[in-house]
Each structure stands twice: as C-alpha cells, then as structure tokens.
Short mmCIF file of all heavy atoms in Angstrom, two decimals:
data_model
loop_
_atom_site.label_atom_id
_atom_site.label_comp_id
_atom_site.label_asym_id
_atom_site.label_seq_id
_atom_site.Cartn_x
_atom_site.Cartn_y
_atom_site.Cartn_z
N LYS A 1 0.81 -1.22 0.00
CA LYS A 1 0.00 0.00 0.00
C LYS A 1 0.85 1.27 0.00
O LYS A 1 0.31 2.39 -0.08
CB LYS A 1 -0.93 0.01 1.21
CG LYS A 1 -1.95 -1.12 1.21
CD LYS A 1 -2.87 -1.04 2.41
CE LYS A 1 -3.87 -2.19 2.41
NZ LYS A 1 -4.77 -2.15 3.60
N VAL A 2 2.17 1.13 0.08
CA VAL A 2 3.06 2.29 0.15
C VAL A 2 3.01 3.08 -1.15
O VAL A 2 2.96 2.51 -2.24
CB VAL A 2 4.50 1.84 0.47
CG1 VAL A 2 5.51 2.89 0.06
CG2 VAL A 2 4.65 1.54 1.94
N GLN A 3 3.05 4.40 -1.02
CA GLN A 3 3.12 5.29 -2.18
C GLN A 3 4.54 5.83 -2.31
O GLN A 3 5.14 6.28 -1.33
CB GLN A 3 2.15 6.47 -2.00
CG GLN A 3 0.68 6.06 -1.87
CD GLN A 3 0.14 5.50 -3.17
OE1 GLN A 3 0.32 6.08 -4.24
NE2 GLN A 3 -0.52 4.34 -3.08
N PHE A 4 5.07 5.76 -3.51
CA PHE A 4 6.41 6.27 -3.78
C PHE A 4 6.28 7.73 -4.17
O PHE A 4 6.01 8.08 -5.32
CB PHE A 4 7.06 5.46 -4.89
CG PHE A 4 8.49 5.83 -5.18
CD1 PHE A 4 9.41 6.03 -4.16
CD2 PHE A 4 8.94 5.96 -6.49
CE1 PHE A 4 10.73 6.36 -4.43
CE2 PHE A 4 10.26 6.29 -6.77
CZ PHE A 4 11.16 6.49 -5.74
N ASN A 5 6.46 8.61 -3.18
CA ASN A 5 6.21 10.04 -3.40
C ASN A 5 7.14 10.85 -2.51
O ASN A 5 8.09 10.32 -1.91
CB ASN A 5 4.74 10.37 -3.13
CG ASN A 5 4.29 9.89 -1.74
OD1 ASN A 5 5.11 9.69 -0.84
ND2 ASN A 5 2.99 9.70 -1.57
N GLN A 6 6.87 12.14 -2.41
CA GLN A 6 7.74 13.02 -1.63
C GLN A 6 7.76 12.64 -0.16
O GLN A 6 8.81 12.70 0.49
CB GLN A 6 7.29 14.48 -1.81
CG GLN A 6 8.27 15.48 -1.21
CD GLN A 6 7.91 16.92 -1.57
OE1 GLN A 6 7.37 17.17 -2.65
NE2 GLN A 6 8.21 17.84 -0.69
N ALA A 7 6.62 12.24 0.38
CA ALA A 7 6.57 11.83 1.79
C ALA A 7 7.44 10.60 2.03
O ALA A 7 8.11 10.48 3.06
CB ALA A 7 5.12 11.54 2.19
N PHE A 8 7.44 9.68 1.06
CA PHE A 8 8.29 8.49 1.14
C PHE A 8 9.76 8.90 1.19
O PHE A 8 10.54 8.42 2.03
CB PHE A 8 8.01 7.61 -0.08
CG PHE A 8 8.85 6.37 -0.17
CD1 PHE A 8 8.37 5.15 0.29
CD2 PHE A 8 10.12 6.40 -0.74
CE1 PHE A 8 9.13 4.00 0.19
CE2 PHE A 8 10.90 5.26 -0.83
CZ PHE A 8 10.40 4.04 -0.36
N LEU A 9 10.17 9.77 0.28
CA LEU A 9 11.56 10.24 0.24
C LEU A 9 11.95 10.90 1.56
O LEU A 9 13.03 10.64 2.10
CB LEU A 9 11.75 11.22 -0.91
CG LEU A 9 11.64 10.68 -2.34
CD1 LEU A 9 11.67 11.83 -3.34
CD2 LEU A 9 12.76 9.69 -2.62
N LYS A 10 11.09 11.75 2.06
CA LYS A 10 11.38 12.46 3.31
C LYS A 10 11.63 11.49 4.45
O LYS A 10 12.61 11.62 5.21
CB LYS A 10 10.24 13.40 3.65
CG LYS A 10 10.44 14.15 4.97
CD LYS A 10 9.24 15.04 5.29
CE LYS A 10 9.43 15.74 6.63
NZ LYS A 10 8.26 16.58 6.99
N LYS A 11 10.76 10.49 4.58
CA LYS A 11 10.88 9.53 5.67
C LYS A 11 12.17 8.75 5.58
O LYS A 11 12.88 8.58 6.58
CB LYS A 11 9.68 8.58 5.64
CG LYS A 11 9.64 7.59 6.81
CD LYS A 11 8.39 6.74 6.76
CE LYS A 11 8.34 5.77 7.94
NZ LYS A 11 7.11 4.93 7.90
N ARG A 12 12.52 8.29 4.37
CA ARG A 12 13.73 7.49 4.21
C ARG A 12 14.99 8.33 4.42
O ARG A 12 15.98 7.88 5.00
CB ARG A 12 13.74 6.84 2.83
CG ARG A 12 12.66 5.76 2.64
CD ARG A 12 13.01 4.46 3.34
NE ARG A 12 11.90 3.53 3.39
CZ ARG A 12 11.65 2.58 2.48
NH1 ARG A 12 12.44 2.47 1.43
NH2 ARG A 12 10.63 1.77 2.64
N ILE A 13 14.99 9.57 3.93
CA ILE A 13 16.16 10.43 4.11
C ILE A 13 16.35 10.79 5.58
O ILE A 13 17.48 10.81 6.08
CB ILE A 13 16.03 11.70 3.24
CG1 ILE A 13 16.16 11.34 1.76
CG2 ILE A 13 17.11 12.73 3.61
CD1 ILE A 13 15.90 12.49 0.80
N GLN A 14 15.27 11.04 6.28
CA GLN A 14 15.38 11.34 7.71
C GLN A 14 15.92 10.14 8.49
O GLN A 14 16.73 10.31 9.41
CB GLN A 14 14.01 11.75 8.26
CG GLN A 14 13.58 13.15 7.84
CD GLN A 14 12.22 13.52 8.37
OE1 GLN A 14 11.27 12.72 8.32
NE2 GLN A 14 12.09 14.73 8.90
N ALA A 15 15.51 8.94 8.12
CA ALA A 15 16.04 7.74 8.77
C ALA A 15 17.53 7.58 8.49
O ALA A 15 18.32 7.22 9.38
CB ALA A 15 15.27 6.51 8.29
N ALA A 16 17.93 7.87 7.26
CA ALA A 16 19.34 7.80 6.90
C ALA A 16 20.15 8.83 7.69
O ALA A 16 21.25 8.54 8.18
CB ALA A 16 19.51 8.03 5.40
N GLN A 17 19.61 10.02 7.83
CA GLN A 17 20.31 11.07 8.55
C GLN A 17 20.51 10.68 10.02
O GLN A 17 21.57 10.95 10.60
CB GLN A 17 19.54 12.38 8.47
CG GLN A 17 20.22 13.52 9.22
CD GLN A 17 19.43 14.82 9.17
OE1 GLN A 17 18.74 15.08 8.19
NE2 GLN A 17 19.53 15.61 10.21
N ALA A 18 19.51 10.05 10.62
CA ALA A 18 19.62 9.65 12.02
C ALA A 18 20.79 8.70 12.24
O ALA A 18 21.52 8.80 13.24
CB ALA A 18 18.31 9.00 12.47
N LEU A 19 21.00 7.78 11.30
CA LEU A 19 22.14 6.86 11.40
C LEU A 19 23.46 7.61 11.30
O LEU A 19 24.40 7.32 12.04
CB LEU A 19 22.04 5.79 10.32
CG LEU A 19 23.20 4.79 10.26
CD1 LEU A 19 23.30 4.00 11.56
CD2 LEU A 19 23.03 3.85 9.07
N ARG A 20 23.53 8.58 10.39
CA ARG A 20 24.77 9.36 10.25
C ARG A 20 25.04 10.21 11.48
O ARG A 20 26.17 10.30 11.96
CB ARG A 20 24.70 10.27 9.02
CG ARG A 20 25.04 9.57 7.71
CD ARG A 20 24.06 8.51 7.34
NE ARG A 20 24.38 7.85 6.06
CZ ARG A 20 23.69 6.83 5.59
NH1 ARG A 20 22.66 6.33 6.26
NH2 ARG A 20 24.02 6.27 4.45
N GLU A 21 24.00 10.82 12.02
CA GLU A 21 24.20 11.67 13.20
C GLU A 21 24.62 10.85 14.42
O GLU A 21 25.27 11.37 15.33
CB GLU A 21 22.91 12.44 13.49
CG GLU A 21 22.64 13.54 12.46
CD GLU A 21 21.38 14.33 12.77
OE1 GLU A 21 20.56 13.85 13.58
OE2 GLU A 21 21.22 15.43 12.20
N ALA A 22 24.26 9.56 14.43
CA ALA A 22 24.69 8.70 15.53
C ALA A 22 26.17 8.36 15.43
O ALA A 22 26.78 7.93 16.42
CB ALA A 22 23.86 7.41 15.54
N ASN A 23 26.75 8.55 14.24
CA ASN A 23 28.14 8.16 14.02
C ASN A 23 29.10 9.32 13.82
O ASN A 23 30.31 9.15 13.99
CB ASN A 23 28.22 7.24 12.80
CG ASN A 23 27.74 5.84 13.08
OD1 ASN A 23 28.48 5.03 13.64
ND2 ASN A 23 26.51 5.54 12.71
N PHE A 24 28.59 10.49 13.44
CA PHE A 24 29.47 11.62 13.11
C PHE A 24 29.00 12.89 13.80
O PHE A 24 27.79 13.15 13.89
CB PHE A 24 29.51 11.83 11.60
CG PHE A 24 29.98 10.62 10.83
CD1 PHE A 24 29.08 9.89 10.06
CD2 PHE A 24 31.30 10.21 10.89
CE1 PHE A 24 29.50 8.77 9.35
CE2 PHE A 24 31.72 9.09 10.19
CZ PHE A 24 30.83 8.37 9.42
N ASP A 25 29.97 13.68 14.25
CA ASP A 25 29.65 14.93 14.95
C ASP A 25 29.40 16.09 13.99
O ASP A 25 28.71 17.04 14.34
CB ASP A 25 30.80 15.31 15.90
CG ASP A 25 30.98 14.30 17.02
OD1 ASP A 25 29.97 13.69 17.43
OD2 ASP A 25 32.13 14.12 17.47
N ALA A 26 29.99 16.03 12.81
CA ALA A 26 29.87 17.14 11.85
C ALA A 26 29.11 16.67 10.60
O ALA A 26 29.14 15.48 10.26
CB ALA A 26 31.26 17.64 11.47
N PRO A 27 28.46 17.59 9.90
CA PRO A 27 27.63 17.22 8.74
C PRO A 27 28.41 17.00 7.46
O PRO A 27 28.16 17.62 6.42
CB PRO A 27 26.68 18.41 8.62
CG PRO A 27 27.50 19.58 9.07
CD PRO A 27 28.36 19.04 10.19
#
C-alpha cells in the first residue's frame, strides 16, 4: 500500500540522517 512520493523520500532520508548523526559529529 506504500506510495512512492515526496513523503516516502522524506521519511527514508530522515532515517538515513539519524544513522549518520549517531556516528558523526559534523555534517
């Protein structure tokens, strides 16, 4: 039922960012 749209991209990118922020202090 998932829609491949902007909301999908936002959710996945935010999840990816959380993993990076857990490992690195600088962007």
Side-chain angles (χ1 to χ4, degrees):
K1 297 181 181 179
V2 159
Q3 299 292 312
F4 185 45
N5 53 22
Q6 189 172 328
F8 178 97
L9 292 172
K10 178 182 178 182
K11 184 177 181 180
R12 292 284 169 92
I13 291 174
Q14 286 179 315
Q17 180 182 328
L19 177 61
R20 278 65 179 176
E21 289 182 344
N23 284 280
F24 302 108
D25 295 329

